[in-house]
Amino acid sequence: VKVHINISVQTLQEKKFHNCLMNILQTHGISPCSIIFEITEHKQLEITDVLLKNMNSLAQKGIDFAIDDFGAGNTSFSYLSKIPVSIVKTDKQFLIDEKNEMLFTAIIKSLQTLNVTIMAEGLENKEMMNIILENDIQFVQGFGYSVPLKKEDLIIFLKSQSITAANLAVIEQNANNVRVKRSEFATQQ
């Protein structure tokens, strides 16, 4: 089970970020392989040497990176060849506005050629799910699947989804381990 964490480009560009993060993970016994950092694309992504060094080093340790809200902001396809991104989360606007459906299909076909995992955000109803299925997208996020849940409710939900006991034990363990406070990160910088 992986935990998705939103992260800004500014944070990834900090020189001490890599070492600080690795110290926190080690202190709390959290595997880097259990983390996916989601980079939002609200601002132009400036690819600097520090950004590439941090992302490549963290990717080598097992941390995955996702581009969040792809298609809504400034991220271009060229970024996907320059930074170690393994997941692209398409913006929900493509599912909400029928006029965007052809554009959505074109974007998905292009992303599929890049060998990245695609997640459609904004699933709210059966019509949207049909669009997702027609485009061979295997991962979804949205209230049509589930509303955000507390840990206890998530475990009940997962049990109802035929999750194996071994996977459920991993989920429960990870949920207990992911309690790093923002203040703790700030003190190590």
Side-chain angles (χ1 to χ4, degrees), residues 11-154:
T11 300
L12 285 170
Q13 300 226 32
E14 293 177 13
K15 290 181 180 179
K16 295 180 180 179
F17 177 72
H18 174 272
N19 291 338
C20 179
L21 175 67
M22 296 314 295
N23 287 338
I24 291 171
L25 295 179
Q26 186 175 17
T27 299
H28 292 279
I30 299 170
S31 168
C33 296
S34 66
I35 294 176
I36 298 173
F37 280 128
E38 293 189 13
I39 304 167
T40 55
E41 62 158 332
H42 298 291
K43 293 182 181 177
Q44 184 80 20
L45 180 62
E46 182 182 347
I47 299 177
T48 64
D49 290 341
V50 174
L51 175 76
L52 287 174
K53 182 180 176 186
N54 279 339
M55 289 184 74
N56 286 323
S57 179
L58 293 171
Q60 288 173 355
K61 291 193 170 48
I63 291 176
D64 285 318
F65 290 93
I67 296 290
D68 197 17
D69 300 328
F70 187 83
N74 297 306
T75 302
S76 72
F77 279 95
S78 67
Y79 291 143
L80 301 178
S81 66
K82 295 176 183 172
I83 59 176
V85 172
S86 56
I87 302 165
V88 175
K89 297 174 68 177
T90 59
D91 188 71
K92 65 183 177 183
Q93 73 175 343
F94 295 112
L95 295 176
I96 293 172
D97 188 347
E98 289 181 21
K99 293 182 265 184
N100 288 328
E101 190 174 333
M102 286 178 38
L103 179 58
F104 179 70
T105 299
I107 289 171
I108 295 306
K109 291 200 182 310
S110 296
L111 289 171
Q112 288 168 337
T113 65
L114 297 175
N115 198 29
V116 295
T117 299
I118 303 165
M119 179 181 289
E121 290 186 301
L123 172 67
E124 294 179 8
N125 56 47
K126 188 175 181 178
E127 292 78 24
M128 290 176 170
M129 187 57 148
N130 288 336
I131 295 168
I132 290 166
L133 293 172
E134 288 168 9
N135 284 284
D136 294 324
I137 300 170
Q138 297 175 336
F139 298 94
V140 298
Q141 178 180 339
F143 292 153
Y145 183 70
S146 175
V147 297
L149 300 170
K150 294 179 182 176
K151 177 181 125 180
E152 298 78 19
D153 296 331
L154 174 63

Side-chain angles (χ1 to χ4, degrees), residues 10 24 44 61 71 162 166 170 173-174 176 181 183:
Q10 283 178 313
I24 291 171
Q44 184 80 20
K61 291 193 170 48
S162 302
V170 170
Q173 180 61 38
N174 284 339
N176 289 328
K181 298 175 186 165
S183 60

